[in-house]
Amino acid sequence: MKTLLLVGIGAGDPDYITVQAIKALRRSDLILLMDKGPAKHKLNALRREICARFLDGHTPRFAEGLQPERERDAADYRASVDELNRDKQAVFEQLIDQQLADGETAALMVWGDPSLYDSSIRIAEAIAASRSDFAFEVIPGITSLQALTARHRIPLNSIGRAVEITTGRLLADGWPPGVDSVAVMLDAKDSYRRFVGQGLAIYWGAYVGTSDEILIAGPLDELAERIASTRAAARERNGWIMDSYLLRKEGAQE
Ligand SMILES: C[S@@+](CC[C@H](N)C(=O)[O-])C[C@H]1O[C@@H](n2cnc3c(N)ncnc32)[C@H](O)[C@@H]1O
C-alpha cells in the first residue's frame, strides 16, 4: 500500500502550520511539490522553510512534479479544468509509481486548506478509484480567508447570516442572492469595481501572512481605485499576485 497525505500548510505564514500537519510531514518519506508559474519559487521556498523549521531533523526526500498549465480564457471553463485535472493526475501517478516504494507515505503540501478551491482531493479520489494499492488522507490547514479575516480583525459572517465564498469570475455576473457578505478569491479582473455606489465595505488583502502582505479596508466607493492601482503595482513588482477580499453590505451587523 502507498499512502498520500494531503497536508494543508496554511496560506502564507509558516506559523500557520498545525501540529497535526507537522506530525503528518514527520511521517512522510517523500514530499511532493507541485506549484507552477511565477509564484512557484516563493511558495516552494516557504514549503522548504516549513520542513527545515518543524520536522525536527526528519529529512524526507523531495520530488518536484512538472505542473501542467490550464488553457487561459478557454471557451469552456469547466472542460479546461477537467482536462487540467486529468493531466495533473497523470503527473501524480507517475511520481507515485516512480518515487514511492510500497509501504511508503508521501505528502503533498497544499497551500491553505485542501478543501478550498484546490483540486488535490478530487485528484487523489480519482487515483484511489483506479488502483487498490493507494490510500489518501486529508489534513486541514488555515485558509487564505481565515488569514484575511484574522488580519483585518473581522468576523467572516454578520450575525446569523450566510456568507457566499465565490470567485472573481462568478462575482462578475452579479451579487449572489440572499447574502450580505461575499468572500472572493481567484479574481484576476478587479470584479469588486462593478459594485461601487452600492454602499459596500471591502476588506482586501494581498500576500496575506507573508512579508509582502498588503491590507486595505474601508468603504468600497472610496477605495476601489486605490486597491486596483495597489494591486497592479504589486503584481508588476513581484511578477505575480495572490489576493482575496470580503465585500459586506454596510450596516450589516457583524
Ligand atoms: C487556488 S486558490 C487556493 C486557496 C487555498 N486552498 C486556501 O485554502 O486558501 C488560490 C487563491 O487563494 C487566495 N489566496 C491564497 N493565499 C492567499 C494569501 N496569502 N493572501 C491572499 N489571498 C490568498 C487568492 O484569491 C488566490 O487566487
Side-chain angles (χ1 to χ4, degrees), residues 11 111-113 116-117 143-144 185-186 205-208 242-244:
W111 192 255
D113 180 78
L116 188 63
Y117 289 112
T143 67
S144 52
M185 307 171 67
L186 296 159
Y207 319 100
V208 175
M242 195 168 57
D243 65 325
S244 43

Side-chain angles (χ1 to χ4, degrees), residues 149-200:
T149 53
R151 295 296 290 132
H152 282 294
R153 302 181 302 167
I154 53 165
L156 182 61
N157 58 288
S158 50
I159 297 172
R161 300 280 299 172
V163 180
E164 176 117 352
I165 299 175
T166 190
T167 64
R169 174 187 292 267
L170 290 173
L171 187 70
D173 293 339
W175 188 263
V179 295
D180 49 29
S181 302
V182 179
V184 186
M185 307 171 67
L186 296 159
D187 183 2
K189 299 199 169 142
D190 303 289
S191 304
Y192 51 86
R193 280 170 124 169
R194 68 162 284 177
F195 299 99
V196 166
Q198 300 185 23
L200 299 178

Side-chain angles (χ1 to χ4, degrees), residues 42-62:
K42 197 129 192 187
L43 302 189
N44 281 343
L46 181 120
R47 289 179 169 92
R48 288 178 190 272
E49 183 188 337
I50 287 174
C51 291
R53 272 177 57 189
F54 297 109
L55 297 200
D56 203 21
H58 173 61
T59 50
R61 312 186 298 275
F62 281 86

Side-chain angles (χ1 to χ4, degrees), residues 47-117:
R47 289 179 169 92
R48 288 178 190 272
E49 183 188 337
I50 287 174
C51 291
R53 272 177 57 189
F54 297 109
L55 297 200
D56 203 21
H58 173 61
T59 50
R61 312 186 298 275
F62 281 86
E64 204 158 324
L66 272 184
Q67 171 92 293
E69 293 271 0
R70 184 170 70 78
E71 189 192 336
R72 292 283 145 204
D73 298 319
D76 186 340
Y77 173 76
R78 183 57 208 264
S80 75
V81 172
D82 287 347
E83 189 184 327
L84 172 69
N85 284 346
R86 276 194 299 277
D87 292 347
K88 280 190 192 169
Q89 182 181 337
V91 175
F92 270 103
E93 294 209 66
Q94 198 181 26
L95 287 171
I96 289 164
D97 285 337
Q98 294 177 354
Q99 310 260 0
L100 199 64
D102 189 34
E104 283 195 321
T105 297
L108 179 70
M109 298 175 77
V110 178
W111 192 255
D113 180 78
S115 71
L116 188 63
Y117 289 112

